[in-house]
């Protein structure tokens, strides 16, 4: 357990870790061989391996299982994670549905397996995914294209979180090409996607022949020029990850700017993350997934800043996690989904705004608790 925690925080963390392990253990029995995404009526019933094997969230369940395997040593988590990993082979074979989120899909499944067990087949899967990621790089605009179809000029802030697979490939195969692409993309994000006040755009549409910025649409946020909180959390954690691999100060400085902006906004409402920090006051729409990801990013930033700055990031992370525990967490073992009040996008059809449990919210909440327990596996 981290030594900066107060007595009350230690007690909260111990209790939360116990609840988390029981909840994931019960959920894993119900999920079985499925690949979960969004819980409906307290159950992760829909299998996204069947629905869409190339779906961007399909690695997060394996990520939870590898984190739990690392934290507890229980073999069933490893065996279950490998079921997802093997199912994802079809996405590699089909290839055409794949996108910039191959980092989320294979860092949390195959690369985690390889790093924790040395499994050689898993290393090949990760290498394959890294090559797909590198193949999406546009050298004319110095960015990794996000999606397919007619979107050759689209880059998005989310992609920062997927650069890990490129950094990993350079470190693993002693080949600088991959990290060079990651850095060029991170630099273009710094220059064009992030704003000077520490907030971030979600999407940029560039001229794919020149890299000139043509449009900055709303994406999953409220409107053009607004501030989608999950995008903000991708920015702050993503820049911290680029710093962790490169040690280039500009990435840590950017991560801190994004973090300060995030903290200032959540501090106004009991450290609960709105879905968009620049949306109208009513209706109140939260996105717990942004809070969980940001908390992990804040704990990552705290590793690199001078001693006297660390507490600001750690305590902000704790305030977010503890407030979300009080307001958003569901610890009932008979129901799936840890973190309620997740939101896929600001504008969506659902009639009520109470949100849902989404697998990446559960992943980041789990990672954050394990980080505080010093039992996490650095998957990035
Ligand atoms: N990467 C897509 C999202 O955050 O919803």
């Amino acid at each position: 357990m981290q030594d900066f925690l107060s007595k009350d925080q230690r007690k909260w963390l111990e209790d939360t870790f116990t609840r988390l392990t029981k909840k994931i253990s019960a959920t894993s029995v119900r999920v079985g061989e499925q690949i979960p995404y969004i819980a409906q009526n307290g159950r992760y019933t829909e299998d996204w391996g069947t629905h869409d094997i190339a779906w961007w969230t399909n690695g997060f369940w394996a990520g939870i299982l590898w984190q739990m395997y690392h934290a507890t040593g229980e073999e069933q988590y490893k065996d279950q994670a490998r079921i997802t990993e093997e199912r994802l082979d079809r996405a590699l074979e089909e290839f055409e549905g794949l996108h910039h989120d191959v980092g989320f899909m294979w860092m949390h499944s195959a690369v985690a397996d390889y790093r924790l067990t040395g499994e050689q087949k898993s290393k090949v899967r990760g290498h394959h995914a890294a090559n797909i990621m590198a193949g999406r790089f546009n050298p004319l605009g110095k960015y990794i294209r996000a999606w397919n179809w007619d979107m050759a000029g689209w880059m998005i802030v989310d992609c920062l979180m997927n650069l890990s697979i490129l950094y990993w490939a350079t470190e693993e195969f002693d080949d600088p090409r991959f990290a060079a692409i990651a850095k060029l993309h991170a630099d273009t994000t710094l220059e064009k996607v992030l704003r000077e006040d520490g907030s971030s755009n979600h999407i940029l549409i560039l001229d794919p022949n020149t890299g000139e910025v043509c449009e900055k649409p709303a994406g999953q946020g409220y409107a053009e020029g607004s501030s989608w909180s999950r995008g903000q959390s991708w920015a702050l954690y993503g820049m911290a990850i680029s710093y962790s691999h490169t040690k280039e100060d500009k990435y840590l400085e950017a991560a801190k700017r994004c973090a300060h902006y995030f903290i200032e906004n959540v501090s106004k409402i009991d450290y609960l993350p709105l879905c968009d920090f620049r949306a109208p006051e009513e209706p109140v729409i939260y996105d717990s997934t942004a809070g969980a990801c940001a908390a992990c990013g804040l704990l990552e930033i705290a590793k690199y800043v001078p001693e006297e700055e660390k507490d600001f990031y750690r305590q902000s992370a704790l305030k977010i996690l503890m407030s979300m525990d009080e307001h958003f967490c569901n610890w009932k073992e008979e129901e799936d989904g840890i973190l309620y009040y997740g939101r896929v996008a600001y504008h969506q059809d659902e009639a009520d705004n109470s949100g849902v449990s989404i697998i990446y919210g559960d992943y980041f909440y789990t990672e954050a608790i394990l980080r505080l327990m010093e039992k996490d596996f650095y998957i990035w």
Side-chain angles (χ1 to χ4, degrees):
M1 195 179 289
Q2 297 273 11
D3 55 14
F4 59 81
L5 298 163
S6 68
K7 199 165 157 238
D8 286 351
Q9 289 169 339
R10 294 175 92 84
K11 168 86 179 81
W12 168 79
L13 183 61
E14 265 163 22
D15 292 347
T16 306
F17 178 66
T18 303
R19 290 192 287 242
L20 182 85
T21 48
K22 285 187 183 159
K23 175 99 186 191
I24 295 176
S25 172
T27 300
S28 68
V29 172
R30 287 188 292 269
V31 167
E33 302 200 348
Q34 301 188 92
I35 304 180
Y37 172 36
I38 290 180
Q40 318 268 5
N41 305 318
R43 283 280 184 283
Y44 277 129
T45 38
E46 200 173 4
D47 175 26
W48 278 70
T50 311
H51 190 73
D52 180 2
I53 193 62
W55 187 242
W56 74 277
T57 64
N58 281 354
F60 286 107
W61 174 237
I64 291 174
L65 296 169
W66 283 117
Q67 290 287 2
M68 292 309 289
Y69 172 69
H70 179 261
T72 66
E74 290 174 26
E75 292 282 312
Q76 85 263 13
Y77 291 126
K78 176 178 83 179
D79 298 341
Q80 199 171 0
R82 284 190 168 154
I83 294 171
T84 293
E85 182 182 337
E86 284 166 19
R87 293 188 73 193
L88 287 179
D89 283 351
R90 188 159 61 79
L92 285 177
E93 281 155 24
E94 292 177 359
F95 174 73
E96 287 196 331
L98 291 174
H99 36 64
H100 70 109
D101 283 320
V102 293
F104 283 139
M105 292 175 74
W106 279 280
M107 284 304 279
H108 292 59
S109 57
V111 178
D113 187 350
Y114 168 62
R115 287 155 127 187
L116 288 170
T117 73
E119 174 59 49
Q120 294 299 301
K121 260 199 205 154
S122 305
K123 179 171 83 171
V124 174
R125 290 180 175 117
H127 200 182
H128 198 149
N131 276 283
I132 291 173
M133 188 70 172
R136 302 187 70 81
F137 183 67
N138 178 331
L140 300 171
K142 299 190 178 58
Y143 67 94
I144 293 169
R145 72 175 281 180
W147 297 308
N148 301 325
W149 312 292
D150 59 352
M151 298 175 177
W154 289 51
M155 73 176 295
I156 68 173
V157 70
D158 323 28
C159 188
L160 285 176
M161 295 296 290
N162 287 279
L163 300 183
S164 298
I165 197 142
L166 297 172
Y167 293 124
W168 167 76
T170 279
E171 288 151 19
E172 182 63 35
F173 303 105
D174 196 18
D175 180 342
R177 291 174 304 146
F178 298 101
I181 288 173
K183 285 203 281 176
L184 286 167
H185 178 87
D187 290 346
T188 305
T189 307
L190 252 179
E191 185 192 326
K192 296 181 174 170
V193 181
L194 303 188
R195 305 184 187 119
E196 277 184 18
D197 65 358
S199 71
S200 177
N201 289 285
H202 179 200
I203 297 173
L204 288 193
I205 305 178
L206 309 174
D207 179 333
N209 293 299
T210 64
E212 187 195 337
V213 178
C214 303
E215 282 178 63
K216 298 178 179 180
Q220 284 157 257
Y222 169 66
E224 195 177 321
S226 72
S227 175
W228 178 49
S229 63
R230 192 164 63 255
Q232 189 66 27
S233 72
W234 295 145
L236 86 83
Y237 198 0
M239 280 293 165
I241 289 167
S242 272
Y243 178 78
S244 86
H245 290 280
T246 65
K247 299 292 180 286
E248 291 191 22
D249 286 342
K250 61 186 171 188
Y251 300 134
L252 185 58
E253 290 309 314
K256 287 166 66 174
R257 276 197 303 281
C258 295
H260 296 174
Y261 178 88
F262 194 98
I263 293 165
E264 193 192 336
N265 276 283
V266 292
S267 68
K268 295 173 194 159
I269 38 161
D270 203 11
Y271 288 86
L272 296 174
L274 292 171
C275 178
D276 193 309
F277 295 130
R278 291 184 191 153
E281 279 180 23
E282 297 288 337
V284 176
I285 301 178
Y286 295 109
D287 179 16
S288 57
T289 70
C293 174
C296 292
L298 295 172
L299 294 172
E300 183 67 10
I301 293 171
K303 279 163 51 179
Y304 306 117
V305 295
E307 201 53 46
E308 64 276 13
E309 290 180 28
K310 288 186 190 299
D311 224 38
F312 172 67
Y313 298 100
R314 291 164 171 168
Q315 293 303 328
S316 299
L318 273 160
K319 283 176 190 158
I320 293 169
L321 294 167
M322 292 174 83
S323 186
M324 292 210 303
D325 177 27
E326 189 182 338
H327 298 282
F328 296 160
C329 281
N330 172 6
W331 296 115
K332 286 185 202 143
E333 287 168 45
E334 64 278 15
E335 288 180 5
D336 298 337
I338 296 166
L339 200 52
Y340 279 40
Y341 286 87
R343 182 97 179 176
V344 170
Y346 186 91
H347 298 287
Q348 56 189 41
D349 295 338
E350 279 150 37
D352 79 84
N353 288 322
S354 61
V356 286
S357 247
I358 313 180
I359 196 66
Y360 45 85
D362 286 3
Y363 171 79
F364 285 106
Y365 203 82
T366 302
E367 183 189 301
I369 297 303
L370 296 182
R371 272 177 177 263
L372 293 170
M373 291 293 295
E374 298 188 290
K375 289 179 184 289
D376 66 302
F377 163 59
Y378 188 68
I379 220 161
W380 308 100

